[in-house]
Each structure stands twice: as structure tokens, then as C-alpha cells.
Amino acid sequence: MFIFVGVALLLHLSSLIMAEVEWGTFRPHSLISVRATAPHSPYFGFAYHAADSLDIRHVTNDHQNAIESFSWSRHDGRTFGDQQIRDVGLNLLVKSSFFKHPTHKGACALRVTAEAIDKSRPIKPISLVFYAVAAPEELDPRTNGVVEEDKAEWGSVGFGRLSHLSDEGLRDDVRIFGNANSVGGRYSILLKEPSLGSLSANSFSAPSKTVHAGGASGSRSLIRTRSEKPPDPPSFLSNFHISSSVAQPQSAWAIEKILPKVLARRSLTTDGTKSMYVLDDSIKETSPGAFVQRILQAPFEIDAGFVLREARDDKTVSDIEKEITGENLTSHLENYREVFDNKFENVYKLRKKGLSEKEQAFAKAALSNVLGGIGYFFGSSLVKASAETNGQSQEDIIMLQPISLFTATPSRVVFPRGFLWDEGFHQLIVQSWDPALSKKCLLSWMKVGQDNGWIPREQVLGIEARNRFPEHVKHLMIQDPTVANPPTILMPLYTLLSSNVNFTKEYRTDEKDIDDDEGYLNLQEFSKSILSPSIRYYSWLKSTQSGHVPDSFRWRGRSNDVLSPEGYPLTLASGLDDYPRTLVPKSEETHVDLHSWMAWASWALSRMSLSAGDNTSAKEFLTEHHKLRSRLIEIHGKVGETGDDHLDYLMCDHDGMDKDCHIGYPTILPMLLGLLDPGDKRVGAILHSLQEPSLLRTRAGVRSLSKSDEWHRKGNDYWTGSVWMPFNYLVLAALRQKYAVQDGPYRFQAENLYDELKQAVLQNAFNVYTQTGHLWENYSPDDDGHGKSGRQFTGWSALVLLIYADMFNLVVS
Ligand SMILES: *[C@@H]1O[C@H](CO)[C@@H](O)[C@H](O)[C@H]1NC(C)=O
Ligand SMILES: *[C@@H]1O[C@H](CO)[C@@H](O)[C@H](O)[C@H]1NC(C)=O
Ligand SMILES: *[C@@H]1O[C@H](CO)[C@@H](O)[C@H](O)[C@H]1NC(C)=O
């Protein structure tokens, strides 16, 4: 009796875990990898290298000169994705596909294929290495060590008993076995004998004599050659080789560093002139990781299938493996591609709008890279804390409680982490495709908010994220609880609640994939759950970022210690780092962009309160909004003096004594967020600057700082002129939703600008993508509008998709 109770409880527990756990490509920094949305999830995936070298390709910034680009051509954010990696260094086009079983939770597959980019050039044999590691994601903050009690959570990975293992390797399919409580228990991973590309004695130009070791093909024969004469090279090359990881659990994720330790150089020719790196075929009983290697000649194809054993219902593991690998995988992938393409057209209607196939492919890649850039992280933020000890003030770094974050990321290469203000734009894209997926990310962000409302702006969570943080800016890892970031996260929260997106099954790739907790959105229930953290966040901003006069605002964190090359202080909090502000930071200064964000946020919160059925808050926020809107003009509106409307009606920062006027993103923001009335002369002045090439207009779009400004392209040439997609999106949204549709003296001017600007922004981003294969962090304001700063920047630059589709829905009406 007891035994039954115990078993039932265990089953219940693992099914509870499994209900929450999703498997996906949630390690955006790795080229080909999968993990689950659970702390301490095992990771698995592929790394590769030329078999005669140790230049290992594992994460997206390995061998950047050799890897020209990597991009998801399709990714639905949940069940399926197709990625292409152009490795010009190896003349290799690697394609990887992710597939999740539609009904069987905890079963998914990776397929890797490769072919020559230039078929007329030779390609070296490739060592493709599959890895599975049981990595703990957070060290114990007190001991800086692995928490032993958590060992069952992060589990172990191995090969089981392999009596027949020798340095001849393994013939036929190989299985890895693992166990991790965090994801629901025992699992197995099948590495299938490659259907294409396997090296054989014939395909490889080496000595002709071959030893036929072992029995009939198809059986895992016992091969013992150690005691005999050394094996002839080609035969071991046509087998799998394996090894257990030699790493400590806390560094098991660093595949590119561990792998060289278990790869041994083996000679292929009797004279030793030719050799390759082969796994050492040694295994340990318990280990945090397992490797399986196959040396292949392109074109090749190999499948790996993951099955969570506890979740297999009445099917056998091998039945499920058959469903997710081989021919079945081929037909699943074909089917999913078609479903994706149909849904893409249903949602964005780009074919109907007359876009070319190439433009549609560009827009698909923009969406897919946002979805394929979604990551799951678990760990602690490092935070600056001022502690009073014995009456003396001292600065300390503390670790917050470990927490999980499910988030999109700005760039898989340079910023594979959560960024608060980028995420506000990312989620506009995610929710256009899959509102329930966006809801999941947004709820996760609300949970990383602290009790006082503060949300740390850069989320560096877990050992891997901390260790991969760029060395030269390591100080930015420490979050400061007095420093803010624009509250853009309220944009997707607001649009999700007020939008006209249809929250029905139509939007899903596969109906069967709906779980109860995130299938249909109960909007009122969702509004209620996010309303109070959103209000807390707003109140935190208001109390910590207020200015010296009532209802004004000032970005904190400006100091004479963090300067541009010319020596003026940066304003990292604003998100517009090197945009010129008051040259000497003062407590009397106030900032027009922060004021605008706050005026917008109070309006959004009023609408969100209504959705949640809280009419009292709705009314209060509306009153607040009207007050902030009129104070915006009083504090930041320039008072006309010259008689030239274009100069007299600017919006400016205020340094405490005078207006501090530059023309650029902060000063046009009042219009971008819809805070100015259509008849306001300030709208005329801003429209003029948006059209005028000597001010903000460029062939790539609207630049961040006027060309006529003394600091244009100074600072770090970052936000001092470069063209950024999120602000161009906001300009277009404001025109499309308000200034080009509501009556007023500037309506026709706004209509024309909308058409021209939309055309220019899309044309430039598309041209640069066609030439370089990338979306970029920003675009040059001069000459050819080329991509600048980070390449492969598929976070908010992917807003091109929403611009193509005319999806704008966040402006104060
Ligand atoms: C495909 O999957 C089905 C079960 O859905 C299985 O019966 C069949 O053997 C599989 N085909 C191959 C080629 O593995
Ligand atoms: C949403 O989609 C469903 C199913 O296709 C349809 O019946 C319904 O009318 C749609 N609602 C709106 C508001 O478009
Ligand atoms: C709240 O306001 C809405 C719209 O103004 C109204 O329809 C609703 O009845 C109000 N609810 C309550 C509880 O007063």
C-alpha cells in the first residue's frame, strides 16, 4: 500500500514539474543548443571543428571571422526552428533544426546537416561533437561552490555500462542516459547513425588496408583491439567516439574549453603526417557531462533525439525516438515549415501587401531571430548596496536571491542576456506572433522586480552568463538600485491588454501544444496579476528619479566618472548613453525624455487599470497623466523668441537655469509618444526636423542627434547621430496612429513623412541585410547607411517586421 502511495506521489510530482517545463533553444549564446525552462536544466547541443584542428565552434562569438553569419530562417518560438550557419572559414553551410514533439512533453530533436558553401573548393573532414551536460547554474553565494543538496536537481549524465568500449569507438546508434530532478527525472538521448556523410575506408584517402573488427554490421559488437596491433586509421574514423566530461560541474557549460582536454590527436598514416582529433573513448561512472563525436565529410546529416522517460505515457522510448528522428523528422519539419509560412502570412499579410519573396524572407528572419533569441536564465543579480557598519558608510556588492528569467535578448553575439528597456520593444514583436508566449516573458520580468518596485536593467544571471560577460565592461554587471532605465516594458503590457490581436487558436502553430496555463489568455486575470507590480515599478521611478521642482524628472547615475571621449558625462540610465546632456551633472537638471516616458506611462497605467477593473486607479493615473503632460510643456517647452517657429517651439532638457537644447531622440520623444496635440506648434517644429537632412533626416531613417549639433557623431558615435530602429518605429507609430490621421495643420505633412520615412527605413535595412546577412545595432546617418556597432543585432532592430506589417499600437491617442 505504502509503495503505491509513494509511487503515485512521485509521478504526481514529476508531472507537476513537467507541466511547467518547456524544452527549447533557450541558450541564445550557443550556436546549436537546447535546454529546459527549469533551474539546473541539463544542456545539450552540438559543437564542431575541423577534425585536424581544435578551433571549436560552440558559442556565437567563437571564430567570428570565420563564421560570417548565423540566422534562424524560421522559428516559431515554441516547437520548431531552422537555423543556418555560414562558416566561410571551413567553407561549410551548417543547418540545424529544432523540433519538439507535438504531444509528447519532454521529447525533442536536433538535426544538423552541412554542405559546402563553394562546391568547387575542398572541405576538410568535420568533427561534430554532441554534448549533454548537467550544469548547475548558480553557485552558492556564501561558499562560492556548488550546492551539494542541489545535486539531485542538476543531476548526472553518462553512457550506462559499455563493456564493449574500445578506442575503435562505437558502431551504430549511441545513447546517453541522464537524470535530473529539475526537469522531471530520467531521460535518454539517441545519437543516430548518420544518414549521410559517414567516413568509410573508400571515402577517405588513407592507407588501403582495413581491419574488419567486430561482427556483423548493425550489432554493437565487442571490439577489442588494444592488445592487438594498432588499428588501421580509417576504421575508427567511421565510428562514434565518446568521452565523459572532465570538468567540474560549475564549468561544465564551457564546452569549447573542456573539449580539447578529451580530444586526443590520432595518427591516420603510418608516417604520422596526417592526424585528427578524436575523443578518448574513456568514460567515468559519474560525470557532469558526456560527449559523442563523429567525424563526417560534408554533405552530412545527423539526428539527436531527446526523450524524458517519465513522460512517455504508454509508448516505449524507442517508439518516441522513431517519431522524432529519421524520415519522420524530415516530414515533421516539412510540415512545420508550411504551417509557419501560412501563419506568417495570416498574421503579417506581407505577400498580400505585395512584398517580394526576398523581403518576406527578410521579415521572417527578423521574427525568427527574435523568437530564436529567447533565453531562459537562472541565477542572482549582483547589486551595489550601501551598508552602514559601525556608523561608517561602505559600498558593498550583494547577490540577490537566485531567480529565473525567460526573456528575449538584444543580440545572440554581443548581448545574449535580458535587457530591461530593449525587452519593451522585443515583446511588441513577440506578441504580434504569439501573445501567450509574450505573456510568459512579461510575467517573468515582473517577477524579477524587487519589492520596492525596482527592476534591475541588465540581467546577468547564472555562472555561464557571468563568466561570459565582456571583460572590458565588467563593472556594468553590477546593478545600481538608484539607477533607472526607460519604462518601455509597460509598452507591451499595455498593448497586450488593449490590442486588437486575436487571442485565439488561429495564432498557434499547433493547437495540440496549448497548455492550460498559457493557452487562452484571460485578459482580466492577466491584467490583475501584472497591475500591481507595474504600479510599484512606476512608483519607484517617480520616487527615485524625481527632479528638484515638482513633477519633474532627472535620470540618476550621471557622474563625472563615466565620461565620453570628449569628457562630457554619459547618461547610461536613459538608454541613450552618449547623447549630450548638461555638460556638468547637477541635481537641478531635468530630462525631457524621462518626463515623456513618465507621462506616457501614467496614461498606459490608467488604461491597464481599467482592464483590470480598477476604476479608482484608472482615474488617478489619468489625472496624473494630464498633470505631467501640461508640466512637460511648462518645464521643457522652449519659449519663442526668434520668431522662427522651427526654433522657438523645441522641447529641451533643463539644466536648472536654462533650457539645454539639442535636437534628437529625447527632444522629439514628446511627439513620438503622442503627448503633443496635433495642433501644437511643437509638432510643426518636430516634423520639420524629421524632414530636414541638415537636422534629423537621413537615407537610413531618423538619426539620433541633429547633424547641425556640435556633438554630432562625437562621443562614442553611438547615440550622437546613428539611426536606431526603435525610435524610427516610434516616429512611424506616432505618425500613423495620430498625427497623420487626426485633423490639424500638420496632418498632410505627417502623412507624406510617414510614407517617405517608412520606405527609407525599410529599404535601407533590407539593402544592408542583403549585402551583409545581418540586422545591425544601428545604421550610419551618413553616406551609405551601412550597419554599425553590433552585428547580428536581432533584438529591436527586428522591428522592421512590424513596420512592414503596419503594426503600431502604443501611442497616446
Ligand atoms: C515513424 O513513426 C511511426 C510512429 O508514428 C513509426 O511506426 C514508424 O516506424 C516511424 N518511421 C520510421 C522510418 O522510423
Ligand atoms: C478571432 O478568431 C476567431 C477564430 O478564428 C474568430 O471566430 C473571431 O471572430 C476572431 N475575433 C476577432 C475580434 O477578430
Ligand atoms: C469602470 O469603468 C468602466 C468604463 O468607464 C465601466 O464600464 C465599469 O462599469 C466601471 N466599473 C466599476 C466597478 O465601476
Side-chain angles (χ1 to χ4, degrees):
M1 206 49 198
F2 265 111
I3 291 164
F4 282 114
V5 171
V7 169
L9 269 179
L10 265 179
L11 283 179
H12 181 62
L13 190 65
S14 58
S15 61
L16 267 184
I17 290 169
M18 275 154 356
E20 287 170 15
V21 168
E22 295 288 345
W23 290 87
T25 53
F26 303 134
R27 293 183 72 216
H29 193 38
S30 301
L31 281 171
I32 307 172
S33 183
V34 169
R35 65 161 297 157
T37 56
H40 315 299
S41 164
Y43 310 154
F44 59 89
F46 285 95
Y48 67 93
H49 56 105
D52 63 359
S53 121
L54 288 176
D55 284 344
I56 289 158
R57 275 86 160 146
H58 171 232
V59 287
T60 53
N61 49 0
D62 286 336
H63 304 285
Q64 292 206 39
N65 296 331
I67 297 183
E68 186 182 81
S69 68
F70 53 89
S71 175
W72 293 103
S73 53
R74 294 184 181 86
H75 198 306
D76 70 1
R78 287 174 185 267
T79 50
F80 143 85
D82 275 335
Q83 181 182 230
Q84 300 206 358
I85 303 165
R86 281 179 65 84
D87 192 329
V88 293
L90 296 175
N91 187 25
L92 203 65
L93 177 64
V94 178
K95 298 181 185 175
S96 74
S97 299
F98 167 73
F99 170 75
K100 202 161 89 177
H101 196 289
T103 53
H104 181 79
K105 262 188 105 66
C108 58
L110 283 175
R111 167 171 289 176
V112 176
T113 67
E115 61 194 71
I117 295 173
D118 176 352
K119 302 217 165 32
S120 67
R121 277 172 48 209
I123 353 176
K124 290 179 170 179
I126 297 298
S127 156
L128 186 68
V129 181
F130 181 86
Y131 62 86
V133 297
E137 273 157 301
E138 186 57 287
L139 299 174
D140 185 329
R142 290 150 307 187
T143 63
N144 208 32
V146 173
V147 189
E148 274 303 309
E149 305 90 83
D150 285 347
K151 203 167 166 180
E153 293 292 318
W154 50 265
S156 60
V157 179
F159 294 95
R161 279 170 50 97
L162 283 181
S163 53
H164 53 290
L165 187 61
S166 80
D167 58 6
E168 270 292 282
L170 296 170
R171 295 193 159 206
D172 258 359
D173 305 350
V174 172
R175 269 195 188 74
I176 293 174
F177 302 97
N179 189 3
N181 288 354
S182 60
V183 297
R186 292 183 304 140
Y187 57 87
S188 62
I189 307 172
L190 168 71
L191 266 294
K192 260 183 91 69
E193 176 66 20
S195 56
L196 189 66
S198 186
L199 289 186
S200 68
N202 299 336
S203 69
F204 191 72
S205 56
S208 54
K209 199 160 87 58
T210 329
V211 170
H212 291 280
S217 73
S219 74
R220 282 206 187 175
S221 48
L222 184 76
I223 308 166
R224 285 267 175 223
T225 49
R226 249 185 240 282
S227 53
E228 300 160 24
K229 69 181 175 70
D232 249 337
S235 80
F236 77 76
L237 284 181
S238 56
N239 293 339
F240 281 111
H241 294 273
I242 64 176
S243 184
S244 298
S245 172
V246 292
Q248 292 298 309
Q250 57 265 46
S251 52
W253 48 269
I255 303 301
E256 69 283 4
K257 294 193 183 114
I258 303 164
L259 206 45
K261 296 181 185 164
V262 288
L263 284 167
R265 190 191 273 274
R266 284 179 72 172
S267 199
L268 303 180
T269 47
T270 37
D271 61 1
T273 51
K274 226 172 165 190
S275 62
M276 287 186 186
Y277 288 95
V278 181
L279 282 181
D280 59 10
D281 288 309
S282 72
I283 56 174
K284 297 200 277 187
E285 206 151 287
T286 59
S287 151
F291 298 113
V292 179
Q293 178 198 34
R294 189 65 182 249
I295 293 177
L296 295 162
Q297 185 72 52
F300 62 75
E301 173 172 305
I302 192 166
D303 295 346
F306 173 96
V307 179
L308 194 61
R309 300 178 84 91
E310 321 291 340
R312 69 198 139 84
D313 309 324
D314 50 350
K315 290 179 183 164
T316 67
V317 169
S318 93
D319 282 347
I320 298 168
E321 285 171 349
K322 278 188 193 126
E323 288 172 18
I324 58 172
T325 56
E327 284 163 26
N328 280 334
L329 179 56
T330 306
S331 62
H332 283 313
L333 289 173
E334 275 161 14
N335 176 29
Y336 273 59
R337 280 173 200 132
E338 200 182 318
V339 171
F340 177 92
D341 287 350
N342 290 339
K343 177 176 168 182
F344 189 84
E345 180 58 19
N346 278 342
V347 176
Y348 303 107
K349 305 196 168 28
L350 301 191
R351 184 176 306 134
K352 204 169 155 197
K353 285 180 194 286
L355 264 64
S356 70
E357 287 297 321
K358 278 188 172 165
E359 287 165 318
Q360 292 176 49
F362 170 47
K364 273 178 203 171
L367 171 71
S368 300
N369 282 296
V370 173
L371 298 172
I374 290 178
Y376 175 92
F377 305 90
F378 179 80
S380 301
S381 278
L382 298 180
V383 171
K384 201 186 268 182
S386 292
E388 289 261 321
T389 332
N390 301 331
Q392 286 189 321
S393 175
Q394 92 184 37
E395 288 255 296
D396 259 336
I397 308 294
I398 58 166
M399 277 178 116
L400 299 181
Q401 279 299 314
I403 192 157
S404 58
L405 179 66
F406 186 63
T407 180
T409 53
S411 157
R412 290 175 61 198
V413 185
V414 275
F415 304 113
R417 301 178 283 282
F419 281 78
L420 180 59
W421 92 289
D422 294 66
E423 189 68 359
F425 292 98
H426 298 158
Q427 290 305 323
L428 295 175
I429 301 167
V430 175
Q431 71 184 227
S432 69
W433 173 257
D434 186 337
L437 184 64
S438 182
K439 175 187 148 191
K440 202 168 162 175
C441 296
L442 290 167
L443 280 174
S444 181
W445 270 99
M446 287 293 120
K447 281 186 195 149
V448 299
Q450 302 297 298
D451 289 345
N452 66 358
W454 174 53
I455 308 178
R457 68 190 168 119
E458 187 164 351
Q459 297 282 332
V460 192
L461 305 179
I463 313 177
E464 180 171 10
R466 271 205 297 283
N467 277 285
R468 294 200 191 276
F469 200 88
E471 199 62 42
H472 65 286
V473 287
K474 213 121 204 182
H475 59 281
L476 294 178
M477 193 152 73
I478 316 296
Q479 301 299 296
D480 186 331
T482 64
V483 174
N485 218 198
T488 51
I489 195 81
L490 297 176
M491 298 194 308
L493 286 167
Y494 159 73
T495 52
L496 195 56
L497 295 178
S498 65
S499 65
N500 40 25
V501 280
N502 194 340
F503 297 98
T504 57
K505 286 182 183 179
E506 287 283 284
Y507 277 84
R508 317 196 129 260
T509 310
D510 194 323
E511 288 184 19
K512 291 173 195 146
D513 193 46
I514 304 175
D515 342 298
D516 292 334
D517 79 313
E518 50 163 339
Y520 298 95
L521 278 176
N522 178 334
L523 282 189
Q524 190 165 40
E525 161 262 324
F526 178 56
S527 314
K528 281 183 184 151
S529 64
I530 52 130
L531 187 62
S532 59
S534 300
I535 293 177
R536 265 205 307 279
Y537 175 48
Y538 179 86
S539 306
W540 175 82
L541 283 164
K542 216 176 136 184
S543 64
T544 60
Q545 312 294 309
S546 60
H548 75 301
V549 290
D551 308 310
S552 69
F553 298 94
R554 169 166 69 91
W555 293 115
R556 299 304 196 271
R558 277 162 53 77
S559 87
N560 282 323
D561 300 338
V562 190
L563 302 174
S564 72
E566 286 83 11
Y568 64 81
L570 300 182
T571 314
L572 298 175
S574 71
L576 316 175
D577 305 5
D578 59 346
Y579 186 88
R581 307 289 184 142
T582 315
L583 296 182
V584 179
K586 314 182 200 174
S587 59
E588 292 83 18
E589 65 192 21
T590 55
H591 300 122
V592 62
D593 50 339
L594 180 53
H595 194 124
S596 304
W597 288 120
M598 295 301 283
W600 181 88
S602 54
W603 173 79
L605 281 171
S606 157
R607 295 299 185 88
M608 285 160 64
S609 303
L610 268 189
S611 304
D614 182 345
N615 288 8
T616 314
S617 291
K619 217 171 148 189
E620 283 170 13
F621 278 112
L622 199 59
T623 308
E624 169 118 340
H625 167 69
H626 289 307
K627 185 176 64 182
L628 291 183
R629 221 163 137 172
S630 55
R631 289 291 281 153
L632 175 68
I633 309 286
E634 287 167 21
I635 301 171
H636 296 287
K638 204 169 180 193
V639 184
E641 278 169 358
T642 68
D644 178 346
D645 281 1
H646 296 153
L647 295 175
D648 289 348
Y649 289 93
L650 300 176
M651 301 293 293
C652 309
D653 281 346
H654 201 293
D655 70 5
M657 304 278 286
D658 290 306
K659 301 283 186 322
D660 184 28
C661 295
H662 301 273
I663 296 178
Y665 289 163
T667 63
I668 64 174
L669 196 60
M671 187 188 116
L672 271 44
L673 297 175
L675 300 168
L676 301 176
D677 294 328
D680 194 323
K681 283 191 167 174
R682 294 170 187 88
V683 171
I686 291 174
L687 284 174
H688 170 73
S689 66
L690 291 173
Q691 274 166 320
E692 177 53 53
S694 67
L695 300 173
L696 297 180
R697 190 55 197 282
T698 81
R699 64 179 282 170
V702 173
R703 71 175 97 219
S704 41
L705 178 65
S706 166
K707 188 171 188 176
S708 308
D709 196 281
E710 65 170 306
W711 302 108
H712 182 246
R713 302 207 75 173
K714 300 276 174 46
N716 302 309
D717 192 17
Y718 203 42
W719 292 90
T720 52
S722 306
V723 177
W724 293 76
M725 203 54 78
F727 280 84
N728 279 275
Y729 177 77
L730 290 177
V731 171
L732 290 166
L735 296 174
R736 170 81 180 200
Q737 299 296 103
K738 185 160 183 164
Y739 300 101
V741 291
Q742 292 181 8
D743 280 336
Y746 309 108
R747 180 173 166 180
F748 292 110
Q749 201 182 340
E751 268 179 47
N752 288 337
L753 177 62
Y754 173 79
D755 290 336
E756 285 170 26
L757 183 63
K758 178 179 168 181
Q759 177 74 15
V761 167
L762 292 175
Q763 195 63 51
N764 188 69
F766 175 70
N767 288 346
V768 174
Y769 178 80
T770 307
Q771 286 155 18
T772 62
H774 301 294
L775 275 162
W776 291 77
E777 186 169 1
N778 54 58
Y779 294 87
S780 168
D782 297 321
D783 44 70
D784 57 352
H786 64 263
K788 274 177 74 257
S789 309
R791 63 170 194 160
Q792 208 87 31
F793 199 96
T794 46
W796 61 26
S797 295
L799 285 164
V800 286
L801 168 71
L802 302 188
I803 298 175
Y804 271 126
D806 291 301
M807 287 178 153
F808 306 105
N809 190 32
L810 41 82
V811 175
V812 175
S813 50

